[in-house]
Amino acid sequence: MKGRSRRLQSGWEKMSACTALVCAASVCMPRSQPTDGAVGDTEYMRIAIDLAGQGAATTAPNPPVGAVVVQDGSIVGRGWHQLAGSAHAEIMALADAGAAARDGTLYVTLEPCNHTGRTGPCTRAILEAGVRRVVIGTRDPNPDVDGDGATFLRSNGVEVIEGVLRDDADHLIRAFRHHVITGRPWVLAKMAMSLDGKVATQAGHSQWITSSASREHAHRIRGSVHALLVGVQTVIDDDPSLTARVGDEIVHEPIRVILDSQLRIPLAARVVRPGTFILTTAAGESASVAALERAGCRVLRCDADSAGRVDVPSALNVLGAAGIQMLLVEGGPSVLGSFFDSRLVQEIHAYLAPVVIGGAGARNAIDGLGIGELSEAFRLEPVVTHCGPDILISGLVQS
């Protein structure tokens, strides 16, 4: 961990920086006012939260966690969880601090674990390092922890402060918490449209409605998620690669998820490669399954809805069982409509360009059945930001 202040060079580091930029932005991480703990505690916890964001796309099925060790008013150790099965944030920060951790304070965004999973319990490492005080952002919703780590530390003479920047720490693990409770991934719906809600003209032209600044920001969002979902029609029409890029460089490849009820996907499509999930129904031909699996894709059968398409709740159950926590749904309009009709969207990012397309034949951003009463509408606690000339409206869906 020493020397992390050097200029970022590798693809891994650029992806981490890309993710951190998103999670530090108000569209992803609400900045709560420091209401708990001393001013110094909130400042150090903020640094730990920003560190945690660098692992947001890569830690599943674990949550992103960040930690710093402070001694005599100076940070002597930093760490964040990078990959499931690798060292936890606390271990990384303690190793970075070395002997300077003794009698110091550890700030960690999530309650330290007190059980053995893929790695040993962090609470034991904290005691062995001689840390005097531990400041925690939020408790771990995992039933194997959920207060046990804090209780163990207190019983061994460590001062424990909980709830510092709790709202921000909770937001950081929103996908993890949702997955623990429901078994399904957190769904973030993204759309880019004109002021009148169109994503293509009557002739089907769509590139580009929004600005390059919006597209760059959307790639940062891709860099912060575990999986990215589109429908097979988008693959047929656009042949996307579904990667996260900084400039022309690929910095992150989320798991690609294609909804394809009848397996119409062309074998020559760019997404037909290892690391792609294709969700189909019983209508998908077995010969197509075999060909896709030979290409390295993972073909998973789901239930069909009343129209014969992949059933959204079934698809989310399948993806949740595969360990996916944060799912970015980019569409197209029929796919977005099916998610909204199923009422299984937790977060929305909508890019609005100062463009009016018009025309009854132009494509709407969201299809589907829609709602009958305004009381049924999806409502957000919105954050409004600018992406070049465009406006980004984002927020969590109010339950």
Side-chain angles (χ1 to χ4, degrees), residues 154-229:
R154 287 191 179 103
S155 68
N156 281 274
V158 177
E159 180 186 359
V160 178
I161 307 296
E162 296 186 70
V164 175
L165 294 185
R166 179 186 285 115
D167 288 349
D168 291 11
D170 280 341
H171 188 80
L172 183 68
I173 65 163
R174 65 197 185 282
F176 174 74
R177 184 186 302 276
H178 182 79
H179 187 261
V180 167
I181 294 171
T182 69
R184 294 172 171 169
W186 176 276
V187 175
L188 192 167
K190 171 252 175 182
M191 59 209 78
M193 70 193 86
S194 64
L195 284 180
D196 53 339
K198 306 298 184 181
V199 295
T201 68
Q202 295 184 50
H205 298 158
S206 61
Q207 297 183 348
W208 298 102
I209 292 173
T210 53
S211 67
S212 59
S214 288
R215 297 194 296 275
E216 289 170 3
H217 189 276
H219 276 276
R220 295 178 192 171
I221 299 296
R222 285 185 178 185
S224 69
V225 300
H226 307 142
L228 169 60
L229 182 147

Side-chain angles (χ1 to χ4, degrees), residues 301-327:
R301 301 278 187 180
C302 301
D303 296 335
D305 65 14
S306 59
R309 300 167 303 187
V310 173
D311 178 71
V312 170
S314 175
L316 292 178
N317 288 337
V318 167
L319 294 175
I324 292 173
Q325 290 180 11
M326 177 72 85
L327 177 68

Side-chain angles (χ1 to χ4, degrees), residues 48-382:
I49 287 171
D50 289 344
L51 285 169
Q54 298 191 48
T58 58
T59 60
N62 294 346
V65 182
V68 296
V69 180
V70 175
Q71 182 67 261
D72 296 328
S74 297
I75 295 177
V76 295
R78 302 171 189 254
W80 69 90
H81 189 37
Q82 297 181 1
L83 291 169
S86 68
H88 288 187
E90 302 95 315
I91 305 303
M92 298 290 283
L94 291 171
D96 193 31
R102 182 160 299 278
D103 294 326
T105 297
L106 171 69
Y107 294 84
V108 60
T109 59
L110 188 67
E111 177 185 11
C113 62
N114 192 42
H115 66 284
T116 299
R118 295 187 184 183
T119 61
C122 291
T123 51
R124 268 58 170 198
I126 291 169
L127 293 180
E128 291 171 3
V131 170
R132 176 181 57 82
R133 184 171 176 262
V134 174
V135 180
I136 298 169
T138 191
R139 285 201 172 186
D140 192 334
N142 183 343
D144 288 334
V145 186
D146 194 19
D148 189 45
T151 298
F152 177 83
L153 291 171
R154 287 191 179 103
S155 68
N156 281 274
V158 177
E159 180 186 359
V160 178
I161 307 296
E162 296 186 70
V164 175
L165 294 185
R166 179 186 285 115
D167 288 349
D168 291 11
D170 280 341
H171 188 80
L172 183 68
I173 65 163
R174 65 197 185 282
F176 174 74
R177 184 186 302 276
H178 182 79
H179 187 261
V180 167
I181 294 171
T182 69
R184 294 172 171 169
W186 176 276
V187 175
L188 192 167
K190 171 252 175 182
M191 59 209 78
M193 70 193 86
S194 64
L195 284 180
D196 53 339
K198 306 298 184 181
V199 295
T201 68
Q202 295 184 50
H205 298 158
S206 61
Q207 297 183 348
W208 298 102
I209 292 173
T210 53
S211 67
S212 59
S214 288
R215 297 194 296 275
E216 289 170 3
H217 189 276
H219 276 276
R220 295 178 192 171
I221 299 296
R222 285 185 178 185
S224 69
V225 300
H226 307 142
L228 169 60
L229 182 147
V230 299
V232 68
Q233 195 61 49
T234 295
V235 176
I236 293 170
D237 292 344
D238 301 335
D239 193 23
S241 59
L242 302 183
T243 57
R245 298 183 297 276
V246 173
D248 294 329
E249 182 179 357
I250 296 173
V251 294
H252 176 50
E253 293 203 45
I255 294 172
R256 297 165 296 279
V257 181
I258 314 300
L259 296 187
D260 187 0
S261 58
Q262 298 186 20
L263 293 182
R264 297 188 294 127
I265 189 168
L267 289 176
R270 288 193 287 179
V271 296
V272 177
R273 62 185 192 274
T276 295
F277 285 18
I278 298 178
L279 305 189
T280 190
T281 66
E285 294 288 343
S286 297
S288 298
V289 171
L292 289 166
E293 290 181 339
R294 284 195 298 271
C297 297
R298 185 173 175 184
V299 182
L300 301 172
R301 301 278 187 180
C302 301
D303 296 335
D305 65 14
S306 59
R309 300 167 303 187
V310 173
D311 178 71
V312 170
S314 175
L316 292 178
N317 288 337
V318 167
L319 294 175
I324 292 173
Q325 290 180 11
M326 177 72 85
L327 177 68
L328 175 62
V329 177
E330 290 196 355
S334 296
V335 169
L336 282 167
S338 67
F339 274 84
F340 280 101
D341 285 347
S342 298
R343 305 200 71 82
L344 290 172
V345 175
Q346 286 76 47
E347 187 172 347
I348 297 172
H349 287 205
Y351 299 87
L352 296 177
V355 175
V356 175
I357 292 176
R363 196 72 191 271
N364 293 322
I366 302 173
D367 290 338
L369 299 175
I371 59 170
E373 302 290 337
L374 278 175
S375 60
E376 301 171 338
F378 286 76
R379 296 186 183 274
L380 310 182
E381 297 178 358

